[in-house]
Amino acid sequence: MELEKKQYQIDFSKIRDRVRVFAPATVANMICGFDILGFAVDEPGDEVAMYRVAEPGVRIRSIAGDDGRLPLDADKNTVSACVKMLLAHLGLENELGVEIELTKHMPIGSGLGSSSASTVAGLFAINNLLGDPLSKAELMPFCVEGERIACGHGHADNVAPALMGGITLIRGYSPLDVIDLPVPNELYAGIVFPQVDVPTRDARQLIKQKVLLKDAVTQWGNIAGLIAGLYESDYKLISRSMQDVLIEPTRAILIPEFYEMKRIALSAGALSFGISGSGPSVVAITRGRDVAERATAEIQQHLTGCDIDSLKYVSAVNIGGPKVLG
Ligand code: HSE
C-alpha cells in the first residue's frame, strides 16, 4: 500500500473514550460489474465498539456473532490489523491504546461483504475516536488493505460502498479512483443467503482468466447501460443491462438452486437477479420493496422445500455508509 506522507494534527485532549459504529453490508459486482461496481444496504451490517485504554497497543476484547470463526489475535484479525496500520501511519502505535468489541450481524463467507463491513466499522471508529483526522477518501486505502488481508485480494467493490454508502464505481485501481453513482430512489435489493459456505478466496480461484472478446463486448455494453440507467432512473434500461455473461455461468455452479431462484425472482417481477459478491447470497434487484419481499419469500419457500436453510434481507440502497451509534 502506497500512501502519501502527510502530517495530521491529533489533539490528544480531544480523543474520545469510546465510540460505537455501524457499517453496512454490500452487494459487490452489481451483477455485471465484476470488481468495479457495488452498493451498500441498510441491513444487515456489523458493529464495532472501541474503547481508549491506558496501555498502548490494539487488542480485541470480544467478538460476537461469528460462531468462534474469527481470530482474537490482534495481528491476525482484519479489523484490529487495519486499526494498527492506521495508528502506525499516524505515528501513534506506541502512544495510544484501544480495545475493540466486534459484533457481527451477518454471516461470514456469505457474499455480503462481511469482512468489509467489519473493517470499515473499525477504521471509521478509530478515526472518529481521534477526532476524524482522515477524510473518507483517505481511509479508503486502509479499507482495501483489510480486504487483501481477509481474502488475499485487494478488490474495492465492497469496501468502497460500505465506506461511502450508495452505489460506487471503481473506475481504476492504480491509482484507486472511486466514483459515486446516483441512486434511483425506488431501487431495492431482495437478498437471500442459502446457508452454504463459499469463501471469496475459493470463488475467485474458479474464475477463468481469459474471456472471449464477444462476451467482453456484451459485458461492457451492459455496464455502460447500467450506469446510464442509474443516471436516468430508467428502470427498464437498468433491468436489461444487469446481466452477467462472464462470471455468473462459472460461479452459479457453487450455489444450490441458482437457476430456479433466478426464474422465481424474475417471475415475481424483479428487474434482475444474480450473485451477490462472490456468493452464495443471491440478489433480486427490484423497483420497490413489495417485489423484493415477494421474490425473497418465494425463493425461501423453494429452498425450504429443498431442505436448504436460508436467511433473507430486504433493503433500499443505503445512503451515507457507516454511522456513529454513540
Ligand atoms: N468482486 C469480488 C468478487 C467481490 O466477486 O470476488 C467479493 O465479495
Side-chain angles (χ1 to χ4, degrees):
M1 177 174 59
E2 295 214 352
L3 289 168
E4 207 183 305
K5 283 276 168 239
K6 180 175 161 187
Q7 284 305 113
Y8 294 92
Q9 296 302 325
I10 311 289
D11 181 346
F12 268 69
S13 68
K14 295 221 172 100
I15 297 179
R16 299 178 67 186
D17 286 337
R18 73 178 108 166
V19 66
R20 203 159 61 87
V21 164
F22 165 90
T26 43
V27 174
N29 301 333
M30 265 190 104
I31 318 281
C32 55
F34 179 70
D35 277 359
I36 63 163
L37 288 173
F39 65 87
V41 289
D42 285 329
E43 59 153 350
D46 286 348
E47 263 179 62
V48 161
M50 192 172 283
Y51 304 85
R52 184 180 180 187
V53 293
E55 191 189 336
V58 178
R59 285 168 294 278
I60 304 269
R61 262 191 202 173
S62 64
I63 304 178
D66 69 327
D67 292 328
R69 291 174 62 182
L70 296 177
L72 287 158
D73 179 335
D75 289 319
K76 297 198 178 120
N77 184 286
T78 315
V79 178
S80 41
C82 287
V83 170
K84 283 179 90 157
M85 222 183 296
L86 182 66
L87 288 178
H89 181 66
L90 296 172
L92 295 176
E93 71 271 44
N94 300 318
E95 314 276 326
L96 194 77
V98 292
E99 292 185 357
I100 295 168
E101 290 171 355
L102 170 63
T103 306
K104 296 216 53 84
H105 293 294
M106 73 178 103
I108 297 166
S110 56
L112 293 172
S114 163
S115 55
S116 303
S118 298
T119 305
V120 167
L123 285 166
F124 199 78
I126 184 68
N127 196 45
N128 186 272
L129 202 83
L130 295 171
D132 292 319
L134 278 77
S135 66
K136 281 188 174 183
E138 289 171 323
L139 283 177
M140 189 72 77
F142 296 92
C143 298
V144 175
E145 210 46 37
E147 206 65 345
R148 198 185 309 283
I149 298 169
C151 77
H153 186 269
H155 51 273
D157 51 340
N158 288 114
V159 285
L163 183 62
M164 312 303 286
I167 305 176
T168 54
L169 163 71
I170 313 300
R171 204 280 313 152
Y173 273 89
S174 131
L176 191 61
D177 189 1
V178 179
I179 317 284
D180 276 325
L181 295 174
V183 180
N185 56 17
E186 292 175 86
L187 206 63
Y188 271 76
I191 297 165
V192 177
F193 167 50
Q195 294 193 1
V196 292
D197 213 2
V198 177
T200 297
R201 204 179 281 265
D202 300 352
R204 291 188 77 85
Q205 275 165 5
L206 262 190
I207 298 168
K208 286 183 265 174
Q209 292 301 310
K210 291 189 177 165
V211 299
L212 293 175
L213 184 59
K214 75 173 176 55
D215 291 339
V217 170
T218 304
Q219 198 87 354
W220 61 55
N222 281 337
I223 293 167
L226 172 56
I227 307 272
L230 295 175
Y231 271 93
E232 298 288 321
S233 288
D234 180 339
Y235 293 92
K236 286 189 178 146
L237 178 55
I238 290 170
S239 176
R240 63 181 190 273
S241 302
M242 286 184 109
Q243 320 273 351
D244 173 16
V245 297
L246 293 184
I247 311 294
E248 181 178 296
T250 311
R251 283 186 170 166
I253 298 161
L254 298 173
I255 302 172
E257 299 299 308
F258 179 81
Y259 289 104
E260 185 55 16
M261 291 193 282
K262 185 170 195 166
R263 191 198 61 72
I264 292 169
L266 297 178
S267 311
L271 300 170
S272 174
F273 177 89
I275 302 170
S276 174
S278 56
S281 288
V282 289
V283 60
I285 305 293
T286 66
R287 181 173 190 172
R289 177 177 279 276
D290 289 354
V291 180
E293 293 284 3
R294 190 161 62 242
T296 50
E298 290 177 12
I299 288 172
Q300 280 203 297
Q301 196 179 13
H302 173 73
L303 290 177
T304 303
C306 300
D307 281 332
I308 300 167
D309 289 335
S310 63
L311 298 172
K312 79 156 184 171
Y313 308 94
V314 171
S315 174
V317 176
N318 164 282
I319 306 296
K323 277 192 306 233
V324 173
L325 301 175

